[in-house]
Amino acid sequence: MTSRGKFITLEGIEGVGKSTHCAFLRDRLLESGLTVVTTREPGGTRLGEAVRGILLDPSLPAMTPLTELLLMFAARAEHLATVIEPALTRGEWVLCDRFTDATYAYQGGGRALDMAAIAQLEGLVQQGLRPDYTLLFDAPVPIALARAKSRSASDRFEAEVSEFFVKVQAVYRERAAREPLRFVSIDAAQTLPEVEDALRGWVRKLAL
């Protein structure tokens, strides 16, 4: 009988290098002989990527915070059913660039939506599924936003003011403090080689 895979999420505000770090982590896990699926939120499926386009497009009319929240969970429901859960059942490891912690941080912290309402949607959509590990890449807001602005035109979230990201980051840190066994906080203000060394060290601790 195939053992269930592990679900690893990568979190952090814009500009902390999650996509780069996700690729590096995937390669280290592949070297250990694991089968790895990489994906992202919002997105991960054809339907989810279409929703992502709506959520990030700065040219579209403004949407209410509740609309944003429901779109996030609609894409997540499809993502879980068609990508994440089947891969875990097959014994594969799933690396996901953002997941529900981002919803608490962005829609709960940044948009000031009711955390209890987010928790209700989490229960409905995820049916108890949660990440086994969450890597939180943490850097001072000014540093992270400067990096994000240097790489491309801003999407709808990246165009938010710095105070928005201060609130987002505060929720991330609160959640990490509450769940130290799940969260691994990594100083993303370090150089890329230093962050990669931290990731190598974490993979070694998994005793694969």
Side-chain angles (χ1 to χ4, degrees):
M1 183 176 179
T2 302
S3 60
R4 186 174 174 82
K6 298 294 185 184
F7 184 25
I8 302 173
T9 56
L10 294 84
E11 297 284 359
I13 64 173
E14 275 68 13
V16 295
K18 289 182 291 71
S19 298
T20 299
H21 304 325
C22 186
F24 179 83
L25 182 58
R26 175 202 62 209
D27 291 345
R28 303 292 76 73
L29 294 175
L30 288 172
E31 289 172 355
S32 298
L34 297 169
T35 302
V36 181
V37 173
T38 58
T39 188
R40 67 179 182 177
E41 288 210 347
T45 66
R46 184 176 178 184
L47 188 153
E49 291 295 328
V51 173
R52 181 186 182 90
I54 294 170
L55 285 163
L56 300 186
D57 190 346
S59 70
L60 291 176
M63 66 182 72
T64 69
L66 181 57
T67 299
E68 184 179 279
L69 174 67
L70 293 174
L71 285 172
M72 288 288 186
F73 271 106
R76 184 165 296 138
E78 184 74 6
H79 196 199
L80 283 165
T82 63
V83 176
I84 296 174
E85 187 59 47
L88 294 173
T89 300
R90 292 191 300 266
E92 298 167 3
W93 285 46
V94 177
L95 298 182
C96 189
D97 184 342
R98 291 210 174 105
F99 193 61
T100 306
D101 290 298
T103 305
Y104 282 101
Y106 279 78
Q107 283 72 51
R111 304 289 189 218
L113 287 174
D114 182 14
M115 295 291 189
I118 297 174
Q120 285 185 311
L121 288 168
E122 178 185 19
L124 174 66
V125 170
Q126 296 173 216
Q127 297 293 304
L129 176 67
R130 305 191 75 210
D132 294 286
Y133 304 105
T134 297
L135 303 179
L136 175 59
F137 295 92
D138 197 333
V141 170
I143 292 175
L145 294 187
R147 289 175 177 173
K149 292 181 187 301
S150 70
R151 69 190 182 201
S152 61
S154 297
D155 63 33
R156 199 169 62 85
F157 286 99
E158 290 170 342
E160 291 288 345
V161 297
S162 61
E163 288 79 5
F164 173 86
F165 293 102
V166 169
K167 295 174 184 176
V168 170
Q169 192 174 68
V171 174
Y172 270 137
R173 289 173 174 173
E174 288 168 7
R175 293 179 69 77
R178 283 204 306 270
E179 297 186 66
L181 297 181
R182 174 166 71 93
F183 275 87
V184 178
S185 293
I186 296 174
D187 180 3
Q190 300 178 102
T191 65
L192 181 57
E194 288 172 327
V195 173
E196 291 177 346
D197 281 345
L199 288 173
R200 282 193 196 91
W202 180 72
V203 171
R204 283 196 293 270
K205 288 179 182 178
L206 293 176
L208 300 173

